[in-house]
Amino acid sequence: MTHNPSSLSRPSERIIEAASRLFFRQGYCSTGINQIISESGVAKASFYTHFSSKEALAMAWLRQREERWIEQLTERISQHQLTEKRVSAMYTMWYDQIREEGYRGCGFINMAGEFSDEKSPVRALVRDHKERVRQVVANNVLNEYRPMMEPEVFDELVNTIYSLFDGAIIQAQNFMQDWPIDSAMKTSMKTLSHYRSGAVL
């Protein structure tokens, strides 16, 4: 998810990379534009040429992060045919993210928590992202189960697996340990077995 700053040539890329490090390490509210400018090595005029405000920068960072993250997730899922293997691949994403970024949790949830206004564009972007992840779970991970179940039962399964998956990284951040991810994955597998045994085959 991170990049070598020396490999980033465009000012906008360097700004987003610096913002990514600082937002994760310090939080959005505690990170000032001047610090972002200093760490990205661009002129203030260059910053405002690319981003009208710190919030606009946050939106750009989240959009970039979503594009890369969803791409990685769908790629990992597509490597497996069995649903259980696809679910396991989802959780592997969390393990890799912890190793790369530390126990910093979900960048989207972290960012949303710093905007109290529910109508904030940042909050809306985060909600849209989470819905997109839920749709990946439905259409790319659990699609094998759809024809076996009534629509409301399938939706219940999707919501359960999605909630376990999305909540795991938050609790791993809270406890700064891996066990929430292990527990969520095991529970997801038991849930699949339960729903499969009750499905109309």
Side-chain angles (χ1 to χ4, degrees), residues 32-39 44:
I33 288 178
N34 288 338
Q35 186 180 14
I36 295 171
I37 290 171
S38 175
E39 294 212 9
K44 181 172 288 190

Side-chain angles (χ1 to χ4, degrees), residues 44-100:
K44 181 172 288 190
S46 181
F47 177 94
Y48 284 107
T49 295
H50 293 93
F51 305 102
S52 60
S53 65
K54 188 171 73 167
E55 183 172 334
L57 171 59
M59 296 280 288
W61 169 58
L62 289 173
R63 290 191 184 101
Q64 182 188 86
R65 184 175 179 86
E66 177 186 47
E67 180 180 355
R68 292 173 176 171
W69 194 88
I70 292 289
E71 182 180 350
Q72 290 179 19
L73 179 63
T74 53
E75 181 180 351
R76 290 181 184 227
I77 290 168
S78 67
Q79 295 174 9
H80 305 282
Q81 294 297 319
L82 295 177
T83 299
E84 289 77 7
K85 292 291 187 181
R86 292 184 173 189
V87 170
S88 179
M90 290 168 52
Y91 285 101
T92 300
M93 284 281 294
W94 285 155
Y95 288 120
D96 289 348
Q97 189 167 319
I98 280 178
R99 283 193 290 268
E100 186 173 351

Side-chain angles (χ1 to χ4, degrees), residues 159-174:
N159 290 339
T160 299
I161 298 299
Y162 163 74
S163 297
L164 286 166
F165 172 67
D166 201 57
I169 193 68
I170 298 171
Q171 292 307 317
Q173 176 188 23
N174 180 43

